[in-house]
Structure formats: structure tokens, C-alpha cells
Amino acid sequence: MMFCPECKGMLVPVGGKLKCRKCGYIEEATADKSVLKRTEKRDEKEIVIIEDAEQMATLPTIAVRCPECGHDIAEWWLRQLRSADESEVRFFRCVKCRHTWREYD
């Protein structure tokens, strides 16, 4: 980054020159100074399509026993269901049988 020699503000590129936003100081942009690099080519990123959204793991997991099947791993999340001065409700979903239950504090 380049800084203004007068007020120490940051110089930004404007029309091939460097200009201070604070005091208006203008300096010629030279090749030896590092300024923004303009490229015309855009690198394309690979797009991954997920066929089954249910298979995608997006929630954190915890070791807790499912009351339905007894499996000991479940996904969990929090929701504020009651008024703001009351605690949140913790939901669990078994990763094996997909049974969902809640726990209050």
C-alpha cells in the first residue's frame, strides 16, 4: 500500500494516478511502485453439484444417545423459540435414524 507523504492517508488509484482521500494529494503511478494489477482473464472455479442434499453434513455433531434407536451420534442446533430473556432450545437429530428431539435448559 502506498501512503500520502503529507497526511499519511492511504493513496488509492484514480485514473492511472494515486490520490489521497484525505487531503487530495496526487502522485503519478510509476512502474516501480506496486499498484493494483488489472487482468482481463477470469479464472473459472470448479462447481460441485450435490445430488442429495440430505447426504451433505452441514451441522455439528455431538455424542448423545438417541431415544429411538440408541445410536450415540447426533447433529445439533439451537433456536430461540420463546422470548429473548429465556434460554434457547437445543435440537438434536440422530445421524442413523433421523429422529429429532429437543432439550430445554
Side-chain angles (χ1 to χ4, degrees):
M1 283 190 206
M2 300 297 299
F3 295 96
C4 177
E6 295 180 7
C7 71
K8 307 298 184 223
M10 188 168 61
L11 298 175
V12 293
V14 176
K17 298 179 182 185
L18 297 173
K19 183 177 180 181
C20 178
R21 290 186 187 177
K22 281 184 170 180
C23 69
Y25 171 83
I26 296 178
E27 181 178 301
E28 288 293 324
T30 58
D32 62 327
K33 295 189 178 181
S34 61
V35 291
L36 294 178
K37 180 181 174 184
R38 182 177 295 204
T39 59
E40 299 298 324
K41 180 183 170 198
R42 179 176 173 223
D43 294 330
E44 293 295 323
K45 302 285 183 193
E46 183 177 327
I47 297 173
V48 177
I49 298 173
I50 298 172
E51 295 286 328
D52 188 7
E54 291 292 320
Q55 296 292 328
M56 187 173 73
T58 58
L59 294 172
T61 58
I62 189 169
V64 64
R65 185 166 302 280
C66 173
E68 286 290 311
C69 71
H71 190 69
D72 59 352
I73 302 287
E75 300 170 325
W76 67 275
W77 65 95
L78 298 172
R79 289 285 183 265
Q80 184 72 41
L81 299 179
R82 296 172 280 175
S83 62
D85 63 339
E86 296 184 36
S87 64
E88 296 174 315
V89 177
R90 190 175 308 113
F91 286 90
F92 299 96
R93 181 183 302 129
C94 177
V95 296
K96 183 177 178 186
C97 72
R98 310 301 289 166
H99 173 68
T100 303
W101 70 98
R102 62 177 77 179
E103 183 179 283
Y104 300 98
D105 284 335

